[in-house]
Amino acid sequence: MDRKHSNTSSTLRNSAETRRIYSVVFEQKGASPPRSVLITSGWWGEGKTTLACNLAALAAGEKGKKVLLIDYNWFSPEVHTQFGIPAEPPPSSSRDVLDKVITVPGMGDLSILTAAAFTGSESWNDASSIPSQAALINEAKNRYDLIFIDASAVYPTNRNMNDPMLLGKAADGVILVALTHVTPKSKTKRACCALQSSGALVLGIVANQWRNPLSPLSHGPARRHGTGKAGTRLLPSNR
């Protein structure tokens, strides 16, 4: 891969924060781990797409899982740019959306279902319905060990988004990403409550760019995009 897309090489799979979050969500003893996880945020630019790509790359490359990453962020799809693959899937005569996946070279058994894959086979109105979402995720479970779903942010709503609150009901669980010291806690709490009220199971809140207050690296403003040198923490959703 070229330098532009080098973010998806060893950096993704070797991130200590990504491993920590993966372990908390998928490797707890005595618990049944989720098979499908939706990653969203309260607002735009909080790092949810990066986290979704990181977790999918780690699961496929290091954990040896057969993984599908679905880009359901139809308003502003970015998953394909993270991996340096085309937005449009290869031509296919099949009407099954899952036959339009793109395999990512060098990333283990990782497949991507881009946002564009939905437009040629069925209307977005049909694909965004709860039965269609649930059917797609359930069928994906027959083909893959883990399914990660990158959704649009909960707020602000717009007519082009596929509502993450509806998607959250179809997935086994939701991870909510919040950019520390940038996004007000009230917005994160509002998004978390909205997801829970819709029937979604919020697995936790990732505090992106969290800085240990005792660390000398904790000074300085957080940035709007990416995780940078600051890490992430998975907090209980009831905080």
Side-chain angles (χ1 to χ4, degrees), residues 4-23:
K4 180 180 179 182
H5 302 291
S6 61
N7 187 42
T8 58
S9 61
S10 60
T11 303
L12 292 174
R13 291 183 292 203
N14 294 333
S15 168
E17 289 81 13
T18 303
R19 285 199 189 93
R20 189 178 300 118
I21 294 170
Y22 183 93
S23 176

Side-chain angles (χ1 to χ4, degrees), residues 119-186:
T119 60
S121 58
E122 54 184 326
S123 71
W124 282 13
N125 288 333
D126 292 338
S128 63
S129 68
I130 293 179
S132 293
Q133 293 166 356
L136 176 68
I137 293 172
N138 287 333
E139 177 57 30
K141 288 180 182 179
N142 294 327
R143 308 187 191 188
Y144 298 90
D145 299 318
L146 286 175
I147 300 99
F148 295 94
I149 306 163
D150 180 37
S152 57
V154 176
Y155 301 109
T157 57
N158 63 77
R159 64 184 179 85
N160 290 324
M161 74 185 296
N162 195 344
D163 196 336
M165 289 188 287
L166 299 180
L167 277 170
K169 297 174 65 174
D172 295 336
V174 177
I175 295 176
L176 183 65
V177 182
L179 190 57
T180 310
H181 304 308
V182 173
T183 303
K185 292 182 179 179
S186 58

